[in-house]
C-alpha cells in the first residue's frame, strides 16, 4: 500500500472516490484493528496515508514530526513518510475552514457553539479561533456546558458547528440538539457528509439560516492531504470541481406529483439517461406486502397504507445516487419530505388536471370527482415542498430533459 486511508470501519467512506478523481495514484481503504495499526505504523511500508476514526490521536506516538496546527488540535489525519520519518498533519483544519468561508460564515467577533468534545471538536475550535470568533464554547453530554443547560447559558449563540456523529448514516433521524430558542443564530454547520443534509441542517433551513454539510470539507481536506502526499499544489478549481461532481452523483432525484402525472415513466427515463438505479415507492410497498395498493386501502384503510409508505420512504431516503418516484400522497406527511430532503432534491411534476386520467388502481382518485378533490387538496403542498417545479406537457421526454437541465445547475 502506497497511499490510502486507515480506520476501523470504512465501508461508507468517499475518500477513495475523491482522491482518485484528481490525484495520479491508487488510493486504498485499509480497515485495521488497534493491534494491526501498531504493526502497520511501525513497519512504515507506505508513502502517505490519511487516518480517520478512531485513530487520529493514536497515530501521534509513531510520528517523528507533527505540524503546528495538528499539535494545537491534538489530532492527526494525514501522515507522510519522508525517508522513514513520519510527519503528521491535520488537513481537517483546512477543510473545515474552507467549508465555513465558502458558505459565508462570518465568525469574526461572533459567539460559536461547538457540539461534541472529540478530535473534530478540537479542530473546529482551532478553526473558529483562526477566523476571529469572540467566544467559543464546547457543548458535550457531561461538560460544564451540556445539552441540558446550553440554552439557558448561551441562547444568544450566533453560529453552531456540530462535530458529533448524531444524525450520521444509518441513524439519519437523530440530532444532537434542537435549534429552538436560539433566536440569534445566523448559521449552522454540520461536519457530517452522509446524509448530505442532516436533521439539524434541515431544521436550520426551515428557520431560514445559513447551513452547510460536511461534504465540501471532506473534499478540501483530501485536496490538502494530496498536496502533502506529493509535495505539490493543485489549482483553486480542483476542489470545487470534484465537490460539484461528487455532490451531483450522491444526491437523489426525487419526483413528486399527482397519480397519473408521469412520475414512474419520467423517472425511468431520467434514470436511464443518468445510468442511475430507479426506485418506485409504490412498487416497493407492493413488493413488501404482496398486495396491490388498492387492496391495501380496501382491506386496511388509508392510515395503514400511509404508515407503510413512511417506512419505505425512510428506507429509500438513506440511499444515494438514486432516482426516486414517490406515491401521490407521500407529500402529506412532513416526515416524508424531511427524509427525502436529506439526500435528495425534490422535483414536482406539475401536470394539468385536465391531462390526468383517473384509473381504478388509484384508490383516492379513481374517478374525476375524487381526482379533482385530491388535486385541489395537494397542489399547494406539492409546490411548497419541492425544490424545483417541472411542467409536464404529456410528453415524458420533455419533462426528463427539463430535470436534466435543472440538474446541471445543482
Amino acid at each position: 500500500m502506497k497511499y490510502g486511508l486507515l480506520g476501523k470501519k470504512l465501508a461508507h467512506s468517499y475518500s477513495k472516490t475523491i482522491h482518485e478523481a484528481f490525484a495520479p495514484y491508487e488510493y486504498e481503504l485499509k480497515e485495521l484493528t488497534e493491534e494491526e495499526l501498531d504493526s502497520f505504523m511501525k513497519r512504515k511500508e507506505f508513502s502517505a496515508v490519511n487516518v480517520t476514526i478512531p485513530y487520529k490521536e493514536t497515530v501521534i506516538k509513531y510520528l517523528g514530526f507533527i505540524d503546528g496546527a495538528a499539535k494545537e488540535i491534538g489530532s492527526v489525519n494525514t501522515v507522510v513518510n519522508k525517508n522513514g520519518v513520519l510527519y503528521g498533519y491535520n488537513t481537517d483544519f483546512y477543510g473545515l475552514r474552507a467549508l465555513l468561508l465558502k458558505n459565508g460564515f462570518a465568525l469574526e467577533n461572533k459567539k460559536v457553539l461547538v457540539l461534541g468534545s472529540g478530535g473534530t471538536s478540537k479542530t473546529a475550535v482551532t478553526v473558529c479561533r483562526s477566523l476571529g470568533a469572540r467566544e467559543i464554547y464546547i457543548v458535550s453530554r457531561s461538560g460544564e456546558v451540556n445539552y441540558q443547560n446550553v440554552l439557558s447559558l448561551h441562547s444568544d449563540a450566533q453560529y453552531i458547528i456540530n462535530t458529533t456523529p448524531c444524525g450520521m448514516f444509518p441513524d439519519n433521524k437523530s440530532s444532537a440538539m434542537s435549534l429552538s430558542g436560539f433566536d440569534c443564530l445566523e448559521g449552522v454547520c454540520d461536519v457530517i457528509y452522509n446524509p448530505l443534509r442532516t436533521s439539524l441542517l434541515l431544521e436550520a433551513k426551515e428557520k431560514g439560516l445559513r447551513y452547510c454539510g460536511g461534504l465540501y470539507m471532506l473534499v478540501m481536506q483530501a485536496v490538502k492531504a494530496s498536496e502533502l502526499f506529493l509535495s505539490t499544489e493543485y489549482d483553486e478549481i480542483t476542489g470545487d470541481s470534484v465537490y460539484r461532481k461528487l455532490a451531483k452523483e450522491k444526491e437523489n432525484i426525487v419526483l413528486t406529483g399527482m397519480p397519473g402525472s408521469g412520475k414512474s415513466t419520467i423517472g425511468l427515463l431520467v434514470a436511464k439517461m443518468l445510468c442511475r438505479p430507479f426506485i418506485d415507492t409504490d412498487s416497493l410497498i407492493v413488493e413488501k406486502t404482496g398486495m396491490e395498493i388498492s387492496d391495501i386501502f380496501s382491506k386496511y384503510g388509508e392510515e395503514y397504507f400511509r404508515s407503510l409508505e413512511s417506512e419505505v420512504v425512510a428506507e429509500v431516503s438513506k440511499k444515494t445516487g438514486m432516482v426516486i418516484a414517490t406515491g401521490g400522497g407521500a407529500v402529506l406527511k412532513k416526515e416524508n419530505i424531511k427524509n427525502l430532503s436529506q439526500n435528495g432534491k425534490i422535483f414536482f411534476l406539475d401536470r394539468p388536471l385536465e391531462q390526468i386520467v383517473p384509473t381504478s388502481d388509484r384508490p383516492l382518485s379513481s374517478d374525476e370527482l375524487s381526482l379533482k378533490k385530491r388535486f385541489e387538496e395537494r397542489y399547494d403542498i406539492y409546490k411548497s415542498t419541492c425544490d424545483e417545479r417541472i411542467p409536464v406537457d404529456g410528453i415524458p421526454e420533455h419533462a426528463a430533459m427539463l430535470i436534466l437541465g435543472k440538474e446541471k445547475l445543482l
Side-chain angles (χ1 to χ4, degrees):
M1 174 180 182
K2 290 193 67 177
Y3 303 99
L5 174 66
L6 310 181
K8 185 169 275 189
K9 295 181 181 179
L10 303 175
H12 300 288
S13 173
Y14 295 166
S15 293
K16 180 177 175 65
T17 300
I18 293 170
H19 276 262
E20 293 185 354
F22 66 89
Y25 50 73
E26 183 179 350
Y27 189 91
E28 299 180 43
L29 302 181
K30 196 171 189 67
E31 294 185 345
L32 298 172
T33 65
E34 286 84 352
E35 294 77 17
E36 290 169 335
L37 177 73
D38 181 68
S39 175
F40 181 88
M41 296 301 294
K42 286 178 177 176
R43 289 198 311 269
K44 302 180 184 180
E45 295 175 352
F46 61 88
S47 296
V49 291
N50 288 129
V51 183
T52 190
I53 296 171
Y55 301 134
K56 291 184 180 183
E57 295 176 9
T58 308
V59 297
I60 292 176
K61 63 186 178 185
Y62 302 102
L63 303 177
F65 168 86
I66 182 169
D67 176 70
K71 187 178 293 184
E72 181 180 353
I73 294 164
S75 174
V76 165
N77 80 325
T78 301
V79 178
V80 180
N81 187 348
K82 299 182 180 181
N83 299 317
V85 178
L86 301 185
Y87 285 63
Y89 307 88
N90 190 306
T91 64
D92 285 338
F93 173 90
Y94 301 96
L96 180 54
R97 197 172 193 275
L99 172 66
L100 295 174
L101 291 174
K102 178 180 175 63
N103 287 278
F105 279 49
L107 302 190
E108 188 170 0
N109 294 320
K110 298 297 174 68
K111 185 175 191 175
V112 184
L113 300 179
V114 176
L115 311 185
S117 56
T120 308
S121 169
K122 296 170 187 174
T123 302
V125 169
T126 306
V127 170
C128 290
R129 285 185 188 138
S130 78
L131 293 175
R134 183 184 76 252
E135 299 175 69
I136 308 164
Y137 297 93
I138 293 176
V139 185
S140 62
R141 284 176 291 184
S142 56
E144 183 178 341
V145 181
N146 52 64
Y147 298 106
Q148 287 69 47
N149 65 22
V150 62
L151 183 58
S152 62
L153 294 174
H154 301 295
S155 62
D156 59 340
Q158 292 155 297
Y159 287 94
I160 290 176
I161 301 174
N162 178 49
T163 69
T164 77
C166 289
M168 183 169 65
F169 175 89
D171 190 20
N172 295 38
K173 289 186 178 182
S174 67
S175 185
M177 58 183 270
S178 170
L179 300 179
S180 297
F182 293 95
D183 297 331
C184 298
L185 271 182
E186 298 175 26
V188 178
C189 170
D190 200 323
V191 302
I192 291 170
Y193 58 86
N194 185 6
L196 297 173
R197 288 170 285 275
T198 60
S199 293
L200 184 69
L201 292 184
L202 290 177
E203 186 180 358
K205 179 183 179 183
E206 191 174 339
K207 291 179 177 295
L209 305 172
R210 288 183 184 275
Y211 68 94
C212 57
L215 187 61
Y216 188 77
M217 172 184 172
L218 183 70
V219 171
M220 295 309 293
Q221 70 80 22
V223 171
K224 183 64 177 180
S226 186
E227 289 181 340
L228 292 168
F229 285 7
L230 303 176
S231 297
T232 189
E233 288 187 7
Y234 295 103
D235 59 50
E236 293 182 5
I237 66 171
T238 296
D240 283 346
S241 61
V242 172
Y243 166 73
R244 287 194 299 270
K245 182 175 184 294
L246 184 62
K248 187 183 292 187
E249 287 175 355
K250 296 297 180 182
E251 193 160 55
N252 295 326
I253 296 172
V254 180
L255 307 182
T256 65
M258 283 290 291
S261 60
K263 296 187 295 292
S264 295
T265 302
I266 294 167
L268 280 166
L269 279 172
V270 172
K272 185 177 180 180
M273 291 172 178
L274 295 176
C275 297
R276 291 192 181 196
F278 173 72
I279 296 175
D280 185 305
T281 58
D282 278 353
S283 295
L284 284 182
I285 293 171
V286 171
E287 182 182 325
K288 184 175 183 178
T289 62
M291 299 174 65
E292 295 299 323
I293 303 295
S294 55
D295 294 332
I296 297 173
F297 267 83
S298 61
K299 188 171 183 178
Y300 298 108
E302 182 179 3
E303 186 175 345
Y304 178 80
F305 172 79
R306 296 298 172 206
S307 178
L308 283 175
E309 183 175 54
S310 292
E311 287 178 18
V312 167
V313 166
E315 179 185 328
V316 302
S317 295
K318 292 182 179 182
K319 299 179 182 294
T320 59
M322 303 284 167
V323 178
I324 302 171
T326 63
V331 297
L332 299 176
K333 283 194 173 184
K334 287 185 178 180
E335 67 174 296
N336 292 341
I337 295 300
K338 181 178 179 180
N339 287 334
L340 291 164
S341 297
Q342 287 200 313
N343 280 317
K345 288 285 186 183
I346 298 177
F347 294 84
F348 163 39
L349 301 186
D350 188 2
R351 188 171 188 176
L353 176 61
E354 58 271 18
Q355 291 185 15
I356 303 175
V357 180
T359 61
S360 58
D361 63 348
R362 299 172 187 128
L364 298 182
S365 54
S366 56
D367 57 72
E368 290 188 6
L369 188 61
S370 298
L371 184 65
K372 185 175 186 294
K373 184 179 180 181
R374 298 289 91 76
F375 187 90
E376 292 171 349
E377 289 173 347
R378 298 174 182 175
Y379 189 77
D380 287 342
I381 300 175
Y382 288 132
K383 287 199 301 181
S384 65
T385 55
C386 74
D387 296 296
E388 297 285 353
R389 173 187 159 273
I390 303 296
V392 177
D393 60 6
I395 302 175
E397 289 78 7
H398 289 177
M401 292 306 296
L402 285 174
I403 291 170
L404 292 180
K406 298 289 185 182
E407 274 290 279
K408 290 177 183 177
L409 301 177
L410 297 180

